[in-house]
């Protein structure tokens, strides 16, 4: 088997007034001659992350002499304005073009105006340690804590997780989101906000957005901006959901006559041992029937 080869192509562009770097990695596949895995990552500020899923292709040309067309365009208006892009990456080979990567939901920008988002409720930083950050928010009148944790994977690479907790209960929203940093995790901050969505009962459903904020890295060759204020930051949307279901004192009766509410058994909850004992007792007391 030939030694595994790996090549990285680097491209620069500005999007949303933020200088970005894109890295296209081309790795030969073990035991598959002439097959290569193409991977794409983006660096905004001091944070690099994977974009799109890797693609496998067969090449009969030199992997060290490839040419790519990498570009973004704005599909429509967005809030915050000027932050939503469509990303495309095409491989150009001997007069033929092959689209290998596409992302229609790339959110990135420099100092976006988050306050322009009507009805948005923003989380506030409450506590920070070396490997954990806690933000507090009000979502549908419920007091919610968002807990962000860093986990070191290897030098410069971290796994990020996000949990929420409200009223003594919670769950993990995402975990082990791998990021490559050329700064300390404490340099990074976050913007978390929710937007109410029409729902029954009212106040039960929300859009939730999780942005990452870093100081800008050094200027790229593609940067058209000569200088920025000292407090300028680069933002990128890391995770979102349009179905965050949390509320406080929800009035389920607003569902009207279509609602049939269950009634809890007065003997519940029961432990598994109690349930097993009860089932055994019922079997003993039930008379056997014979044909």
């Amino acid at each position: 088997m030939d030694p595994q080869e790996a090549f990285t192509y680097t491209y620069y562009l500005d999007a949303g007034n933020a200088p970005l770097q894109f890295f296209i990695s081309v790795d030969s596949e073990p035991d598959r001659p002439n097959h290569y895995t193409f991977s794409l990552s983006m660096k905004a500020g001091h944070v690099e992350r994977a974009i799109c899923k890797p693609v496998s292709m067969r090449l009969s040309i030199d992997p060290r002499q490839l040419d790519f067309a990498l570009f973004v365009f704005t599909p429509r208006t967005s809030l915050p304005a000027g932050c939503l892009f469509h990303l495309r990456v095409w491989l150009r080979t001997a007069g033929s073009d092959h689209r290998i990567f596409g992302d229609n939901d790339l959110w990135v920008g420099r100092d976006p105006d988050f306050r322009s988002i009507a009805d948005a409720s923003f989380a506030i930083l409450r506590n920070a340690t070396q490997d954990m950050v806690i933000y507090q928010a009000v979502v549908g009148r419920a007091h919610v804590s968002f807990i962000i944790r860093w986990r070191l994977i290897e030098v410069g690479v971290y796994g990020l997780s996000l949990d929420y907790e409200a009223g003594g209960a919670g769950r993990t929203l995402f975990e082990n989101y791998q990021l490559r940093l050329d700064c300390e995790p404490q340099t990074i901050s976050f913007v978390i906000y929710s937007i109410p969505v029409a729902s029954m009962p009212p106040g039960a459903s929300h859009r939730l957005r999780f942005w990452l904020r870093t100081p800008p890295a050094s200027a790229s060759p593609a940067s058209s901006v000569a200088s920025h204020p000292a407090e300028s930051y680069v933002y990128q949307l890391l995770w979102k959901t349009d179905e965050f279901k949390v509320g406080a004192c929800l009035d389920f009766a607003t569902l009207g006559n279509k609602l049939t509410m269950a009634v809890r058994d007065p003997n519940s909850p029961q432990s598994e041992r109690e349930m097993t004992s009860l089932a055994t007792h019922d079997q003993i007391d039930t008379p056997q029937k014979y044909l």
Side-chain angles (χ1 to χ4, degrees):
M1 182 182 67
D2 294 334
Q4 187 167 0
E5 297 179 306
F7 308 98
T8 300
Y9 293 80
T10 304
Y11 287 77
Y12 300 89
L13 62 78
D14 278 5
N17 207 23
L20 307 177
Q21 286 180 274
F22 290 89
F23 305 100
I24 304 171
S25 300
V26 183
D27 298 271
S28 61
E29 299 181 8
D31 303 322
R32 296 189 73 196
N34 301 323
H35 283 75
Y36 294 82
T37 298
F38 289 71
S39 304
L40 178 66
S41 63
M42 180 189 75
K43 184 177 182 182
H46 295 273
V47 179
E48 179 185 346
R49 62 186 176 98
I51 303 288
C52 305
K53 295 181 179 180
V55 174
S56 178
M57 295 194 72
R58 184 178 64 254
L59 298 180
S60 57
I61 55 178
D62 190 345
R64 296 167 294 185
Q65 302 293 328
L66 301 180
D67 184 30
F68 299 91
L70 188 154
F71 55 91
V72 298
F73 58 95
T74 53
R76 59 184 183 274
T77 58
S78 63
L79 283 176
C83 291
L84 175 60
F85 300 91
H86 284 183
L87 169 69
R88 299 291 185 266
V89 181
W90 291 74
L91 172 64
R92 317 197 75 172
T93 61
S96 298
D97 299 316
H98 314 258
R99 201 183 98 169
I100 54 175
F101 298 115
D103 186 347
N104 291 335
D105 205 34
L106 181 64
W107 291 80
V108 64
R110 193 162 196 154
D111 303 318
D113 183 11
F114 290 105
R115 296 297 172 178
S116 65
I117 306 172
D119 300 325
S121 176
F122 291 84
I124 300 173
L125 176 64
R126 288 303 186 195
N127 190 30
T129 64
Q130 185 175 359
D131 56 4
M132 184 175 67
V133 186
I134 298 176
Y135 284 76
Q136 295 283 348
V138 176
V139 182
R141 295 188 299 171
H143 292 270
V144 180
S145 296
F146 292 101
I147 303 101
I148 303 162
R149 293 182 176 87
W150 293 101
R151 182 177 66 86
L152 179 63
I153 297 175
E154 59 183 66
V155 177
V157 179
Y158 293 82
L160 190 68
S161 67
L162 175 65
D163 291 46
Y164 88 87
E165 183 176 302
R171 62 187 176 93
T172 297
L173 297 174
F174 68 81
E175 59 184 343
N176 200 33
Y177 196 126
Q178 292 195 16
L179 304 171
R180 183 177 297 276
L181 310 182
D182 61 10
C183 65
E184 293 298 320
Q186 294 76 25
T187 306
I188 296 171
S189 56
F190 305 91
V191 175
I192 306 172
Y193 60 88
S194 63
I195 305 169
V197 178
S199 63
M200 290 295 289
S205 186
H206 316 269
R207 296 186 178 97
L208 183 63
R209 301 295 185 260
F210 181 85
W211 291 71
L212 183 148
R213 185 183 85 162
T214 70
S218 57
S220 73
S223 178
S224 59
V225 182
S227 62
H228 293 272
E231 292 300 316
S232 181
Y233 293 93
V234 174
Y235 296 75
Q236 55 179 311
L237 181 67
L238 210 64
W239 180 86
K240 70 175 185 177
T241 179
D242 290 340
E243 296 185 347
F244 188 56
K245 307 292 187 181
V246 171
C249 304
L250 296 177
D251 184 9
F252 297 105
T254 57
L255 293 171
N257 55 14
K258 296 181 180 180
L259 174 70
T260 302
M261 184 70 75
V263 178
R264 191 177 77 176
D265 187 331
N267 295 320
S268 67
Q270 294 176 318
S271 68
E272 184 177 351
R273 179 180 299 177
E274 291 172 329
M275 295 291 289
T276 302
S277 176
L278 181 61
T280 302
H281 179 76
D282 289 344
Q283 290 176 0
I284 293 175
D285 289 348
T286 300
Q288 299 293 322
K289 294 182 178 181
Y290 299 93
L291 293 177

